[in-house]
Amino acid sequence: MAFTLKINGTPHDVDVDGDTPLLWVLRDVLGMTGTKFGCGVALCGACTVHVDGQAVRSCQTPVDSVGDSAVTTIEAIGGTPQGQALQQAWLELEVVQCGYCQSGQIMSAAALLVETPKPTDDDIDAAMSGNVCRCGTYQRIRAAIHKAAA
């Protein structure tokens, strides 16, 4: 089936089955490899993107459910005030170790800051609870979110 997806402000025509996960369209069809595959069952958060500003797990989002919604990936999140602040805080606080989960972490954090500009630790914990960091940088992630919110 043919779909036109609005990704990072640009329309992209793709010809895939409607039940194809958005993650595979982004990575395999469009070559946008910033969004990562982690678990494939929406438990780890590595594949997080925004659909109309909401953080969603792209590994479990069928492309036919996207419709006319705006999709934002890690490749474009730095163009938003929250994304830019988060990326800067991530660098300043040296959050990254292996880096594999970081695109999903930043995408979830950006959605949080849009909804809750001055989050508490509890707000951060709730919003980030579905994002797994195998390196265990959770304290640095929380500190970076607070720094970006300041």
Side-chain angles (χ1 to χ4, degrees), residues 24-49:
W24 299 125
V25 173
L26 293 170
R27 291 184 60 80
D28 294 348
V29 177
L30 299 174
M32 297 176 164
T33 57
T35 304
K36 304 299 183 200
F37 172 80
C39 67
V41 292
L43 296 175
C44 74
C47 68
T48 304
V49 299

Side-chain angles (χ1 to χ4, degrees), residues 82-99:
Q82 295 83 7
Q84 184 177 30
L86 285 163
Q87 289 175 339
Q88 186 62 40
W90 244 247
L91 291 172
E92 289 176 13
L93 297 178
E94 298 179 352
V95 171
V96 179
Q97 277 190 334
C98 84

